[in-house]
Amino acid sequence: MTAPAREQWGTRAGFLLAAIGSAIGLGNIWRFPYVAYENGGGAFLVPYLVALLSAGIPLLIFEYTIGHKFRGSPPLAFRRMARAAEPIGWWQVAISFVIAVYYAVIIAWAMRYVGFSVGQQWGADPETFFFEDFLHIAEQPGFAAPFVPGVLWPLIAVWAVTLIVLALGIRRGIEIASKIFIPLLIVLFVILVVRALFLPGALDGLNAFFSPDWSSITDGKVWVAAYGQIFFSLSVGFGIMVTYASYLRRKADLSGSAMVAGFANSSFEILAGIGVFATLGFMAHQTGVAVSEVSTSGPGLAFVAFPTIISELSAGAAWFGILFFTCLVLAGLSSLISIVQVIVSSVQDRTGLARVPAVLIIGGFTAVVSIALFPTRNGLYLLDVADHFINQYGIVLAAFVAVVLVAWILRKLGMLKLHTDSVSSLKVGPVWVILLGVITPVVLVWMMIDSLRQEFDENYGGYTTSYVLAAGWGVAGVAILFGVLMSLLPWKQPGTPDDEDGTPAVPVTEEAKS
């Protein structure tokens, strides 16, 4: 019995839009502007660009090449490279699962806020509305809490859209959705930014954002922040790009695609910085305070600061809010789809399930866990702690282990370089090997040490030790354990390539089937 050939992207543009859509997420809009502002303003762009060129794009090429050469999801691709590398792939699947279950609820919040923007239903106190009237947040963090209906039903809608897109497959689902979501996101966000630029005080906000503090260039924390932003914003380290690249045709410009995706993501981040700080400048102007006093990031920016700003607009407030929160929904959905695809693809490769059953069973299970945990009065606490620890000690650590194992222990970077150069118009050359084998591991260790030092100084977010151990360290630890245990289970088929370019050992048909 022959196995179906792997699905393929219909066009290179479809792959690029999907990869860019995965990278452009909520963090681009609500994290980058504040990180840049806090770390030297305009001067931050120097270490940011260095980080993009020396670590971000090399890591993208690394993941593209692994996925493309070994034609599999992270567990299968790493297994085909070397049996000892398989745990990394399953570890990345576990990381994707954790991120997916909480990421979806933020999209659900944004979906509700699209409607709230009509008539500014958050009233005169957006902070109280968000935390108490909307989320009904519990006084103390915990695990068991009543559901919040206003969050539950939009979360179900988010998962319905995500699973439908995934069930339709790579070409008819993810590619078509990306061709709709990403251009629409860019058009809407450009309109939003243009509108923000004409608000009173916008220039003050832009001056605060771009005014360079050149003394920050010599501060090590600024460089850590730059590399951290690049790393987290490019969707590397948890298997997305390995998975997406596995659906490319045999001839694919890997290095060129990485350059396009990397610079497109960074361009959007800078555009987001312009829009966010022009708007914050307006808020500062209206309240008579400095921009530094209104600048913030994360959910506080999206669901407290922006509603406050929208309420201050004299005309077009509803449309401004609708545009902003629609952009959050589109950015979030494109990222969530890519994250869940890692899980679905890995289970397909492991079990031989067809796409639709895999989406219904595995995607459905992921949705059930998300719906059970996060539209509750404790949802925000769980999200905050799990997000911090799975990012800092899941994604970063998994990426470090993957690079060190491949570069230093297995010594496969030379082989990957040859494959990249054989299919790409832009040759990476030995500089790529040096950047990935030396610079990237050093930076990742630096980030880990800096983060651990803060963890040992005090509990993250002021949470109790027991809560941090259970919802933070425990979640990150279970992801590692899952990776190890899954790699111990035997495969029905060996999943090792039998030729130089990574062609699967099992026979394949000519046409891909979903």
Side-chain angles (χ1 to χ4, degrees), residues 133-500:
D133 300 336
F134 177 53
L135 295 184
H136 298 283
I137 188 169
E139 292 184 6
Q140 297 293 331
F143 294 96
F147 282 104
V148 180
V151 180
L152 178 61
W153 68 258
L155 180 58
I156 293 173
V158 167
W159 278 110
V161 171
T162 300
L163 298 184
I164 289 170
V165 170
L166 290 172
L168 290 172
I170 296 300
R171 291 190 188 185
R172 294 182 294 119
I174 298 175
E175 183 166 345
I176 290 176
S178 299
K179 287 180 176 179
I180 297 171
F181 289 170
I182 305 310
L184 181 59
L185 169 63
I186 293 171
V187 169
L188 293 180
F189 204 79
V190 167
I191 294 172
L192 186 74
V193 170
V194 170
R195 175 69 181 91
L197 289 174
F198 287 94
L199 293 173
L203 187 59
D204 294 333
L206 294 179
N207 285 334
F209 179 60
F210 282 111
S211 294
D213 176 10
W214 294 112
S215 64
S216 66
I217 296 293
T218 59
D219 188 343
K221 291 183 178 179
V222 171
W223 288 84
V224 170
Y227 277 93
Q229 179 61 32
I230 285 293
F231 186 79
F232 292 125
S233 70
L234 285 178
S235 292
V236 292
F238 50 113
I240 294 174
M241 296 310 169
V242 173
T243 304
Y244 271 11
S246 72
Y247 300 112
L248 284 168
R249 298 178 185 275
R250 288 294 181 187
K251 287 296 181 182
D253 187 359
L254 301 180
S255 59
S257 297
M259 294 286 286
V260 171
F263 279 104
N265 174 73
S266 294
S267 297
F268 188 88
E269 288 196 316
I270 294 172
L271 180 67
I274 294 171
V276 167
F277 268 86
T279 311
L280 290 175
F282 167 73
M283 183 177 180
H285 177 271
Q286 293 296 101
T287 56
V289 300
V291 175
S292 60
E293 294 186 38
V294 297
S295 61
T296 184
S297 64
L301 171 68
F303 300 105
V304 176
F306 259 84
T308 302
I309 293 165
I310 292 164
S311 296
E312 292 289 337
L313 292 172
S314 57
W319 285 110
F320 193 88
I322 290 170
L323 280 175
F324 177 73
F325 290 110
T326 299
C327 286
L328 288 186
V329 171
L330 292 172
L333 276 175
S334 62
S335 295
L336 179 63
I337 288 167
S338 69
I339 295 168
V340 182
Q341 174 59 27
V342 175
I343 310 168
V344 170
S345 178
S346 299
V347 172
Q348 282 187 276
D349 287 344
R350 182 66 180 78
T351 64
L353 279 174
R355 170 168 287 275
V356 173
V359 170
L360 292 178
I361 296 171
I362 303 305
F365 174 73
T366 308
V368 168
V369 173
S370 175
I371 292 167
L373 292 177
F374 290 96
T376 69
R377 297 186 64 186
N378 278 320
L380 182 60
Y381 297 125
L382 285 171
L383 185 157
D384 184 33
V385 177
D387 175 64
H388 174 75
F389 282 88
I390 204 67
N391 273 282
Q392 296 293 341
Y393 311 108
I395 295 177
V396 174
L397 186 57
F400 171 76
V401 172
V403 171
V404 169
L405 180 66
V406 173
W408 296 359
I409 299 174
L410 300 177
R411 298 184 180 276
K412 297 284 189 180
L413 279 187
M415 173 266 291
L416 294 178
K417 181 186 80 68
L418 290 175
H419 180 79
T420 303
D421 287 345
S422 70
V423 298
S424 302
S425 58
L426 179 64
K427 311 301 180 186
V428 294
V431 67
W432 178 73
V433 175
I434 296 171
L435 289 174
L436 202 60
V438 180
I439 303 299
T440 300
V442 169
V443 168
L444 292 175
V445 167
W446 189 8
M447 289 170 57
M448 288 288 295
I449 292 174
D450 182 71
S451 182
L452 282 169
R453 184 168 55 245
Q454 296 177 41
E455 302 295 348
F456 293 142
D457 286 343
E458 58 180 338
N459 283 348
Y460 170 72
Y463 294 103
T464 64
T465 300
S466 59
Y467 196 75
V468 168
L469 287 174
W473 291 111
V475 169
V478 167
I480 298 174
L481 182 62
F482 175 84
V484 173
L485 293 178
M486 283 298 297
S487 68
L488 297 177
L489 299 178
W491 290 62
K492 290 182 179 180
Q493 295 169 332
T496 54
D498 63 0
D499 64 13
E500 191 65 24

Side-chain angles (χ1 to χ4, degrees), residues 30 105-111 113 122 126-127 129-130 134 298-308 324-325 328:
W30 74 27
V105 79
I106 305 174
I107 306 170
W109 298 345
M111 188 178 289
Y113 266 71
W122 45 75
E127 183 173 3
F129 176 84
F130 177 63
F134 177 53
L301 171 68
F303 300 105
V304 176
F306 259 84
T308 302
F324 177 73
F325 290 110
L328 288 186

Side-chain angles (χ1 to χ4, degrees), residues 77-142:
F78 278 105
R79 181 187 177 94
R80 284 175 170 169
M81 181 190 299
R83 179 68 180 83
E86 184 185 344
I88 297 172
W90 287 114
W91 185 6
Q92 292 182 340
V93 172
I95 291 169
S96 294
F97 176 84
V98 173
I99 294 174
V101 296
Y102 70 72
Y103 197 83
V105 79
I106 305 174
I107 306 170
W109 298 345
M111 188 178 289
R112 284 301 308 276
Y113 266 71
V114 172
F116 292 155
S117 296
V118 180
Q120 292 83 62
Q121 295 180 35
W122 45 75
D125 189 352
E127 183 173 3
T128 299
F129 176 84
F130 177 63
F131 291 108
E132 298 181 14
D133 300 336
F134 177 53
L135 295 184
H136 298 283
I137 188 169
E139 292 184 6
Q140 297 293 331

